[in-house]
Amino acid sequence: MVVLLVDALGWELAARTPGFAAMLPERRRLETILGFSSGALPTLFTGRMPAEHGRWLMYRRARRGTPFAGFGALALLPPRLQRSWKLSRLLARAVRARGVRGYFDLYDVPRPLLAAFDLAERDDIFAPGGLPGDSLWDALERSNTRWRGWNWRTSEAGSLAALERALESSQEDFLFCYTAGLDALLHREGSRGAGVRARLAAYDAWLDRLARAAARRGEELWLYLLSDHGMVDVTSTVDVMGRLGGLAARWPREYLPFFDSTMARFWWRGAGARDAVRTALADLPGGRWLDDAELEWAGARFARHDYGEDVWLLDPGALMVPSFMGARPVAAMHGYDAAHPDMAALLWSNRPVPAEVTHLRDVRGFLERELGALGAEAA
Ligand SMILES: [Zn+2]
């Protein structure tokens, strides 16, 4: 079994690319979750929704024991120094030295404000024990499956080449590779970019080589091409921070905000600030407030409001500029309403995909059943 998980490979993009992954005729569109890979990948690997596994967005409110403890003192530095690249590298190293092994980026989060936040992903989510509760990796370990995986910790080219070599030597029954190369290209170029097309052609050629090599050895290869979400081309920008800057209520004194690229999240210190901010953004075109029912439906209603007491979500195609993620617009983004067609993920295979597999949370169970079928065939 070989699983290639391509971050941001949307159903729409893959389906409209002529000839792409022709060796995988079993094609299923997967509903994704509201949010980013930081929530979507845990849902893929655990089969549970964000509110159940606890992971939604990269940054959440600190309770106790944040890896950014003490960063508040950075407010004493001149603003230019706070934003310097050298300091960022130093801070990232300090965070890793405090035991964070997950994926994170400090982006443009105001450095002193980091102390109020925590990273949801502290451990390696691609390894046994790296996710809350039980995951696909824990199941692999329990069933004594011989397996290997690659993820963002190694380069995409290196990972794909290593997986190809591992397949030659036939030591493992399950090979897995996660890559975020296409995600980065899509952000930069948009879905019609030349680099995007070239990368899809490269994945196609790689899958083809794998299938041919296995056929030459007389092996049956079960191939699964998987993604966590799609990508929406950016058509407008929304200046949320500018709008809030004009209010009498100021952050971080009267409320604590976090500005993701498609969501503004808030923790309130008083009712006055909440009313002012809610009114100001209700009038701002390009987004809307999510209510509890909607968050509940999206599987992202957290009882303790770890990710915000109120969430303002941008419309698909609108990008928050500036945000804590960056000051400049990008060509495409995700993290929108999961119902938008371009947000849908996919599972393509040369194995039948049962009708009940329609959502990210169905994938883990499906792969485990496939592993079971594989074991039964070998025995
Ligand atoms: Zn992305």
Side-chain angles (χ1 to χ4, degrees):
M1 282 178 69
V2 171
V3 178
L4 176 63
L5 169 50
V6 179
D7 196 301
L9 175 57
W11 164 267
E12 293 290 333
L13 175 63
R16 72 160 184 256
T17 303
F20 177 63
M23 75 294 288
L24 307 176
E26 303 289 335
R27 302 184 166 189
R28 186 58 45 81
R29 180 186 191 275
L30 294 181
E31 295 296 326
T32 186
I33 59 149
L34 173 65
F36 299 85
S37 298
S38 44
L41 295 176
T43 291
L44 272 178
F45 302 153
T46 65
R48 298 190 301 278
M49 293 297 276
E52 299 168 274
H53 56 59
R55 306 290 173 80
W56 191 28
L57 305 162
M58 188 179 291
Y59 285 89
R60 67 181 173 198
R61 182 82 188 262
R63 297 206 175 273
R64 52 180 167 199
T66 160
F68 305 116
F71 281 31
L74 297 168
L76 301 172
L77 296 175
R80 252 186 77 137
L81 196 55
Q82 286 184 31
R83 287 192 296 268
S84 87
W85 174 79
K86 269 190 175 163
L87 179 71
S88 301
R89 223 173 47 163
L90 219 69
L91 295 177
R93 206 177 296 160
V95 169
R96 270 184 226 106
R98 288 171 169 182
V100 172
R101 290 159 60 227
Y103 179 76
F104 73 94
D105 194 312
L106 300 179
Y107 299 109
D108 288 354
V109 186
R111 301 311 185 225
L113 208 59
L114 281 164
F117 297 105
D118 191 359
L119 292 165
E121 188 177 319
R122 298 279 198 99
D123 298 309
D124 182 354
I125 64 165
F126 300 95
L131 281 160
D134 191 59
S135 74
L136 175 64
W137 321 119
D138 298 312
L140 288 172
E141 184 131 296
R142 272 199 305 276
S143 61
N144 290 316
T145 304
R146 296 172 303 171
W147 76 283
R148 272 181 79 185
W150 292 264
N151 54 61
W152 53 266
R153 291 170 176 84
T154 46
S155 75
E156 178 180 280
S159 302
L160 294 179
L163 193 153
E164 215 172 329
R165 283 197 303 275
L167 193 65
E168 292 289 334
S169 66
S170 302
Q171 298 291 306
E172 289 89 11
D173 294 320
F174 183 87
L175 296 172
F176 168 87
C177 178
Y178 165 83
T179 170
L182 184 73
D183 178 79
L185 278 169
L186 281 164
H187 284 305
R188 204 178 318 144
E189 299 181 347
S191 67
R192 314 250 165 211
V196 168
R197 267 201 311 278
R199 191 62 62 101
L200 289 177
Y203 295 144
D204 181 72
W206 182 83
L207 290 165
D208 204 48
R209 270 203 313 281
L210 251 54
R212 282 170 200 274
R216 268 201 307 277
R217 290 193 301 274
E219 285 173 8
E220 196 183 334
L221 181 64
W222 294 1
L223 268 173
Y224 309 84
L225 175 65
L226 180 63
S227 67
D228 55 347
H229 56 73
M231 187 77 83
V232 181
D233 287 319
V234 168
T235 50
S236 65
T237 60
V238 183
D239 186 6
V240 174
M241 293 173 74
R243 171 63 67 102
L244 297 180
L247 300 179
R250 315 293 297 180
W251 60 273
R253 199 158 45 88
E254 284 159 85
Y255 61 94
L256 178 69
F258 196 99
F259 301 107
D260 289 297
S261 36
T262 65
M263 287 181 208
R265 302 183 275 134
F266 301 91
W267 294 263
W268 312 108
R269 308 200 205 277
R274 179 173 191 256
D275 288 345
V277 169
R278 283 194 63 99
T279 306
L281 294 191
D283 292 343
L284 186 64
R288 65 200 169 85
W289 290 105
L290 297 178
D291 60 27
D292 279 351
E294 212 165 348
L295 285 167
E296 178 85 50
W297 188 82
R301 189 174 169 208
F302 293 81
R304 302 203 315 163
H305 301 297
D306 299 302
Y307 296 90
E309 292 167 356
D310 279 307
V311 180
W312 197 77
L313 175 69
L314 271 69
D315 300 334
L319 182 73
M320 197 186 308
V321 180
S323 75
F324 284 181
M325 299 311 189
R328 277 191 298 269
V330 292
M333 190 41 75
H334 45 94
Y336 299 111
D337 187 339
H340 188 275
D342 286 341
M343 282 300 298
L346 63 82
L347 171 60
W348 289 10
S349 181
N350 56 1
R351 292 270 303 162
V353 180
E356 67 269 19
V357 179
T358 60
H359 189 282
L360 294 189
R361 70 173 161 234
D362 305 324
V363 171
R364 180 227 168 148
F366 167 65
L367 290 177
E368 277 188 54
R369 288 192 294 281
E370 288 289 275
L371 277 162
L374 188 77
E377 239 178 56

